[in-house]
Amino acid sequence: MTTAHVLPGAGSGPPPDGGTVIDVRDLRMRYRGQDVLKGVGFTARRGEVVVLLGPNGAGKTTTIEILEGFRMRSAGDVTVLGTDPAHGTERWRARLGIVLQSWRDHGKWRVRELLAHLGSYYAPYSTPVVRRPWDVDELLAAVGLTAQADKRVGTLSGGQRRRLDVAVGIVGRPELLFLDEPTAGLDPEARSEFHGLVRGLADENTTVLLTTHDLAEAERLADRILILAGGRIVADGPAGELSRRASAEATVRWTRDGRAFEETTTEPTRFVRRLFEEHGEAIGGLEVRRASLEDTYLTMVREVEAGSAAGERAARSSRGESR
């Protein structure tokens, strides 16, 4: 088993100050007469792992491309690392790391050679405060690719290739890392190792913004979760807080005398205490279940979709009356 190492030197930049790294206000994007983003707003702070969730077509990729400076917005205010991405310089870009969902270039390069080559682009941006780029051997150890250092990229397994993707994204010691579906195609072991790497980066004050369709992964990694639906952020907070906000109720399940019981309550602690007071050791198989992140996500997205559908019907009806 390959173990992701502690990230040596990754925290050699400025000390954490709790500052805002991403600040998005009233972000809007319009394509061919369609409003994709309708006033998106959120922030991310130094060292946070923020997960952006949303159904396909919600605008997640559009939002991230705007933050990366690859796409111009229609309206709104966006600041990333103190700069408007639409006017980001090369020095600003050197402070970002980007890991795409997939890429297949550089297959003939050897792993060590590729990382050394890409790292050389960051050398001009080194300062006494921020040391760039990574030492290649340290980086290989951090992502668990030391044994593959001299292999050609095209011969790596899927999991090894995904580790290399991350190494390419962080070779310049980014202050902000964008991850698009980072564990797609990874086996459970490789996914667990990747999660450890992401948390290690955050512990060293790198801000991470990632998208994923794996809600268990989002719950495990995120300091905060954003749910994008209907062109807006409809939820923003830790997974547990969002679940409590979506439903104050909990389901209590238990068995007694060979029979199964279930009760929904807003006061599960008090209910369980009373249950044991009445039946004592006769209670078995006790389970208290609150709404999961998946329950919360589906509930919020469906509510937005239902509201949008109702709005469209009302608009069509209004247009019909005006004819």
Side-chain angles (χ1 to χ4, degrees):
M1 175 178 175
T2 304
T3 302
H5 292 62
V6 176
L7 305 174
S12 58
D17 58 8
T20 299
V21 173
I22 299 174
D23 189 0
V24 179
R25 303 184 186 187
D26 198 28
L27 174 59
R28 298 175 182 270
M29 191 68 194
R30 189 172 180 84
Y31 288 124
R32 299 176 182 176
Q34 294 288 328
D35 291 317
V36 178
L37 303 178
K38 304 175 183 178
V40 169
F42 66 92
T43 62
R45 302 179 72 80
R46 187 183 301 275
E48 268 194 314
V49 177
V50 179
V51 176
L52 181 61
L53 300 177
N56 289 333
K60 300 187 300 297
T61 298
T62 297
T63 299
I64 287 180
E65 287 179 347
I66 290 170
L67 299 180
E68 294 168 342
F70 292 141
R71 188 180 295 274
M72 296 294 292
R73 61 191 182 271
S74 299
D77 297 318
V78 180
T79 303
V80 176
L81 293 170
T83 297
D84 183 336
H87 307 293
T89 63
E90 289 302 311
R91 182 172 293 278
W92 173 79
R93 292 184 186 281
R95 300 167 67 191
L96 306 181
I98 299 173
V99 178
L100 301 176
Q101 189 171 133
S102 64
W103 56 276
R104 290 293 177 266
D105 294 335
H106 311 303
K108 295 182 179 179
W109 284 73
R110 298 188 187 279
V111 171
R112 183 192 302 277
E113 294 171 344
L114 176 62
L115 293 177
H117 175 73
L118 295 176
S120 69
Y121 290 113
Y122 293 90
Y125 304 107
S126 298
T127 69
V129 177
V130 180
R131 183 165 51 90
R132 294 190 171 97
W134 276 74
D135 173 83
V136 174
D137 288 327
E138 289 182 351
L139 181 55
L140 288 167
V143 299
L145 286 177
T146 299
Q148 289 75 36
D150 295 319
K151 289 187 175 181
R152 294 190 185 279
V153 172
T155 67
L156 299 180
S157 69
Q160 292 166 351
R161 182 59 184 261
R162 204 64 185 130
R163 293 190 191 101
L164 178 60
D165 292 347
V166 176
V168 169
I170 66 175
V171 66
R173 298 182 188 274
E175 297 169 53
L176 171 60
L177 178 62
F178 295 99
L179 299 170
D180 187 10
E181 295 288 338
T183 60
L186 293 188
D187 60 49
E189 182 180 359
R191 185 178 295 113
S192 177
E193 292 169 0
F194 180 83
H195 291 168
L197 175 60
V198 170
R199 289 308 323 179
L201 288 166
D203 289 344
E204 295 294 340
N205 303 316
T206 297
T207 303
V208 180
L209 177 61
L210 69 89
T211 67
T212 181
H213 287 291
D214 185 337
L215 298 183
E217 175 172 79
E219 197 160 12
R220 178 175 178 180
L221 281 178
D223 294 310
R224 281 175 39 241
I225 290 174
L226 310 174
I227 299 178
L228 177 62
R232 295 182 174 87
I233 299 295
V234 299
D236 179 350
E241 178 185 311
L242 297 187
S243 296
R244 287 190 295 273
R245 192 185 309 169
S247 175
E249 296 181 337
T251 300
V252 182
R253 297 186 179 99
W254 73 97
T255 61
R256 180 168 57 86
D257 299 329
R259 297 174 58 197
F261 298 86
E262 179 177 304
E263 182 75 20
T264 299
T265 175
T266 57
E267 298 181 321
T269 301
R270 179 178 297 179
F271 180 84
V272 169
R273 184 184 299 119
R274 188 171 67 248
L275 199 62
F276 276 98
E277 288 174 353
E278 293 178 2
H279 303 288
E281 295 182 359
I283 298 297
L286 181 67
E287 177 187 354
V288 180
R289 183 182 183 275
R290 291 191 178 274
S292 68
L293 177 59
E294 181 175 1
D295 297 330
T296 303
Y297 171 77
L298 292 174
T299 296
M300 290 183 173
V301 169
R302 286 168 181 164
E303 287 177 352
V304 171
E305 291 175 344
S308 297
E312 290 175 5
R313 287 194 298 269
R316 286 197 298 269
S317 175
S318 176
R319 288 194 297 268
E321 292 172 359
S322 65
R323 287 193 182 97

